[in-house]
């Protein structure tokens, strides 16, 4: 159990059934905050809720596909009924398909844009009214790929450049009204790469993710950012794996 925070925050995390989103849910609930954890798959959300039993804060779960505006609206309705407000949104749901541009599948490019860009926009558009009321906080999950372009993941990099641009757009237009953070992790040891359908690339990249950061380390950065209220705003934080490779 973490130490109780100064104020219990209402925090919605998308893509929380696994990896970074799940770690954020447990870390932020451990610090005493109230979490709504969403993803499409119910079973891992149930397991997360079990794991969160006994933490200082609490984790509620609700299925949500961020590409579906009605599904997102359902979560917003839940938050306004149960919480009557929202302090922090972490639009974390994101996917990557690695492939050279020449052999890439169009449906995989489109899926990355749908989840990583449109899904983030669906989440933000639906939550902005509540966040503006609470003078809240957006913690976008960017990537090193928001600042650099790597071979075999060019369109993923394009989606993360878009996420960073969305953050900067929010910061520009909501200055003094919202706090905006972009977390830019390098490789994190999650199932993220397992989605890649190019068998050779999946096998080649998996070891780099295996020795990547623990998702809890990114979650600690998210906690640092959301608990910075009143002290300063963590606008962009790059978190790199250490020198193990
Ligand atoms: O990946 P993973 P990470 N609607 O696969 C969900 C970024 N990132 O934790 O819906 C709603 O463990 C999916 O659940 P489900 C990355 O770009 C990562 O590593 O049930 N949710 C699961 O909960 C992403 O933005 C690394 O399939 C949807 C979650 O998303 C974020 O970190 C490095 C969904 C994915 O969990 C979390 O990725 C980096 C949908 N339509 C940035 N589709 C890294 N791992 O190295 C999927 O720089 N989800």
């Amino acid at each position: 159990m973490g130490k109780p925070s100064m104020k219990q925050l209402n925090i919605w995390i998308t893509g929380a059934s696994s990896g970074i989103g799940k770690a954020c849910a447990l870390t932020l609930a451990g610090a005493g905050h109230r979490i709504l954890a969403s993803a499409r798959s119910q079973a891992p959300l149930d397991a997360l809720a079990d794991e969160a039993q006994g933490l200082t804060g609490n984790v509620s779960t609700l299925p949500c596909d961020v590409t579906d505006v009605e599904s997102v609206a359902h979560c917003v309705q839940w938050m306004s009924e149960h919480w009557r407000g929202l302090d922090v949104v972490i639009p974390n749901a994101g996917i990557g398909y690695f492939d050279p541009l020449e052999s890439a599948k169009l449906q995989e490019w489109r899926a990355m844009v749908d989840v990583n860009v449109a899904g983030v926009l669906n989440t933000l558009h639906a939550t902005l009214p509540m966040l503006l009321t609470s003078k809240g906080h957006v913690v976008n999950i960017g990537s090193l790929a928001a600042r650099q372009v790597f071979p075999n993941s060019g369109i993923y990099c394009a989606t993360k450049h878009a996420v960073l641009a969305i953050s900067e757009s929010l910061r520009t237009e909501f200055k003094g009204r919202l706090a905006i953070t972009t977390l830019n992790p390098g490789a994190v040891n999650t199932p993220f790469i397992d989605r890649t359908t190019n068998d050779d690339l999946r096998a080649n990249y998996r070891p780099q993710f295996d020795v990547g950061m623990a998702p809890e380390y990114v979650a600690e950065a998210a906690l640092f950012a959301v608990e910075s209220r009143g002290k300063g705003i963590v606008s962009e934080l790059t978190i790199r794996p250490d020198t193990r490779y």
Side-chain angles (χ1 to χ4, degrees):
M1 292 203 296
K3 64 178 168 42
S5 64
M6 291 191 321
K7 175 184 187 270
Q8 185 177 50
L9 299 169
N10 295 329
I11 302 173
W12 184 29
I13 306 168
T14 69
S17 62
S18 147
I20 294 169
K22 179 181 177 183
C24 284
L26 291 170
T27 298
L28 293 165
H33 300 296
R34 213 183 273 131
I35 312 300
L36 177 62
S38 297
R40 291 167 306 171
S41 329
Q42 185 65 57
L45 289 177
D46 291 343
L48 167 62
D50 284 348
E51 225 178 301
Q53 294 293 328
L55 295 178
T56 321
N58 65 73
V59 176
S60 303
T61 63
L62 208 54
C64 179
D65 181 342
V66 295
T67 66
D68 175 354
V69 288
E70 285 182 15
S71 180
V72 171
H74 182 61
C75 289
V76 170
Q77 190 187 347
W78 185 98
M79 289 183 275
S80 61
E81 281 170 11
H82 290 78
W83 290 347
R84 308 206 176 282
L86 174 68
D87 299 301
V88 181
V89 68
I90 307 183
N92 160 77
I95 57 174
Y97 294 102
F98 286 33
D99 229 348
L101 294 177
E102 197 166 0
S103 55
K105 296 115 191 145
L106 180 59
Q107 70 269 24
E108 294 186 350
W109 285 358
R110 295 184 67 111
M112 287 188 281
V113 172
D114 283 350
V115 178
N116 302 2
V117 182
V120 169
L121 293 176
N122 291 340
T123 305
L124 292 174
H125 192 268
T127 53
L128 275 174
M130 284 194 294
L131 292 170
L132 286 167
T133 301
S134 65
K135 285 194 116 184
H137 197 148
V138 174
V139 180
N140 276 332
I141 307 299
S143 174
L144 292 187
R147 288 276 181 202
Q148 282 173 262
V149 174
F150 302 99
N152 304 320
S153 58
I155 305 308
Y156 175 73
C157 296
T159 66
K160 290 300 180 177
H161 275 62
V163 168
L164 182 58
I166 291 163
S167 286
E168 293 311 305
S169 161
L170 293 169
R171 184 190 324 290
T172 303
E173 293 203 22
F174 294 113
K175 193 170 181 348
R177 300 167 71 195
L178 290 179
I180 312 295
T181 298
T182 310
L183 298 181
N184 290 332
V188 183
N189 188 7
T190 73
F192 174 81
I193 191 65
D194 302 339
R195 200 179 296 271
T196 287
T197 55
N198 180 318
D199 294 336
D200 290 341
L201 283 187
R202 194 177 61 252
N204 286 344
Y205 278 99
R206 185 65 251 178
Q208 294 181 31
F209 286 84
D210 288 341
V211 297
M213 296 173 286
E216 289 74 19
Y217 188 54
V218 182
E220 282 170 25
L223 177 63
F224 175 63
V226 303
E227 292 200 342
S228 68
R229 290 159 74 104
K231 301 171 206 155
I233 295 171
V234 180
S235 57
E236 194 178 343
L237 194 55
T238 301
I239 313 149
R240 296 173 190 270
D242 67 16
T243 51
R244 283 173 292 170
Y245 56 81

